[in-house]
Amino acid sequence: DGGITQSPKYLFRKEGQNVTLSCEQNLNHDAMYWYRQDPGQGLRLIYYSQIVNDFQKGDIAEGYSVSREKKESFPLTVTSAQKNPTAFYLCASSIVTSGRGEQFFGPGTRLTVL
Amino acid sequence: GIQVEQSPPDLILQEGANSTLRCNFSDSVNNLQWFHQNPWGQLINLFYIPSGTKQNGRLSATTVATERYSLLYISSSQTTDSGVYFCAVGTGANSKLTFGKGITLSVRP
C-alpha cells in the first residue's frame, strides 16, 4: 500500500539526549514536511524539503535538524537544545512543490521527555 | 504571516443534526485543506479546496477565496464524526501549511 510511515509510534527520551524520528513515503512525492502539535493546538511547521539534498526552516526550527538524502525519507532529529520537546510529531508529503499540492500525513510519533 | 481562525472552538451536537464549521484567513491563499483528526491523532484529509465547492457523502465544503473564508458542512451527523477539525492554508510559492487551532466536535447518541 502507498502511504507515509512514521516510527516509532511512541518514544521516550531522557533530558540531554538527541533522538531521531523516522518518516518514509512511497508515494513518489517531491516535498516532505515536519510539523509539531502540542495539546489543544494546531500544527506548527518545523522544517520542509521540496527536493533531495535541500530543506528550509519552518516557523519553529530551533532545536531540530533534518536531512533529505533520499526522496523517500526525511528524518527529524530532536536535539538537546530543544527546550520543550514533548509533543506529537507529524510528517507529511505532497506531490507538487509550487504551493498548490495537497498534503498527506503520516500517523505521527508521540515524544515524551522524562 | 497569515492568520487562520476557526469557529466555533467547540461544538456539541445530537446525532442526526447538521452543522457548519467556519475558517477565516487573513490573506490570499492557493491551498486550503480541511482535516479530521481522529482520537489516535491521525489527520484524515477531508477536502483540498482552495476555491469552489466540493461534496463527499454527508460532508461538503465551500471556499470563497475573494472573501477569505471556507465552510465545512456536516449533515446528519454521526458519533463517528466526533473529533477535531482543522483548516489549513498555504500561500504563494511556499508549500507550507498554516493551521488553525481546530474545532472540537462532539456528537452525542
Side-chain angles (χ1 to χ4, degrees):
Chain A
D1 282 356
I4 303 170
T5 57
Q6 292 186 241
S7 61
K9 190 172 183 178
Y10 298 95
L11 187 56
F12 298 90
R13 187 195 94 175
K14 293 182 179 179
E15 278 194 30
Q17 289 181 336
N18 292 355
V19 63
T20 297
L21 282 58
S22 170
C23 177
E24 304 276 334
Q25 54 96 2
N26 62 4
L27 301 169
N28 199 31
H29 284 178
D30 303 300
M32 297 186 73
Y33 316 81
W34 275 105
Y35 294 86
R36 167 184 172 138
Q37 185 179 25
D38 294 286
Q41 300 295 316
L43 281 67
R44 292 180 292 166
L45 183 68
I46 304 173
Y47 268 98
Y48 64 102
S49 168
Q50 297 181 322
I51 196 169
V52 173
N53 292 323
D54 188 43
F55 46 83
Q56 288 77 41
K57 293 182 179 180
D59 300 318
I60 54 166
E62 185 175 354
Y64 300 97
S65 65
V66 294
S67 63
R68 186 89 187 274
E69 297 177 2
K70 297 187 300 182
K71 187 176 184 178
E72 302 79 18
S73 177
F74 191 41
L76 173 74
T77 297
V78 184
T79 74
S80 56
Q82 168 51 232
K83 303 292 184 199
N84 297 295
T86 295
F88 186 46
Y89 291 87
L90 289 140
C91 177
S93 69
S94 68
I95 193 168
V96 177
T97 59
S98 66
R100 296 179 181 271
E102 182 178 6
Q103 291 189 23
F104 296 86
F105 283 78
T109 293
R110 293 192 185 275
L111 172 64
T112 302
V113 174
L114 304 173
Chain B
I2 191 168
Q3 304 297 313
V4 181
E5 292 186 5
Q6 294 186 244
S7 61
D10 300 282
L11 191 55
I12 300 174
L13 298 176
Q14 205 66 31
E15 198 169 27
N18 302 330
S19 63
T20 301
L21 286 61
R22 187 176 182 101
C23 173
N24 291 336
F25 43 95
S26 60
D27 204 347
S28 300
V29 300
N30 59 6
N31 184 352
L32 191 145
Q33 293 184 243
W34 282 97
F35 298 93
H36 176 210
Q37 189 167 41
N38 67 20
W40 298 272
Q42 175 79 54
L43 277 176
I44 299 164
N45 289 43
L46 297 177
F47 293 102
Y48 171 72
I49 188 166
S51 64
T53 298
K54 290 185 179 180
Q55 180 158 6
N56 184 4
R58 296 182 296 105
L59 274 60
S60 63
T62 295
T63 297
V64 184
T66 53
E67 297 188 20
R68 299 181 184 171
Y69 73 87
S70 182
L71 302 174
L72 176 68
Y73 305 97
I74 303 175
S75 64
S76 304
S77 58
Q78 301 175 358
T79 56
T80 52
D81 294 331
S82 297
V84 183
Y85 289 80
F86 287 104
C87 168
V89 302
T91 64
N94 191 314
S95 309
K96 73 175 188 178
L97 288 177
T98 300
F99 280 74
K101 293 192 174 183
I103 296 170
T104 301
L105 174 64
S106 299
V107 180
R108 295 180 173 172

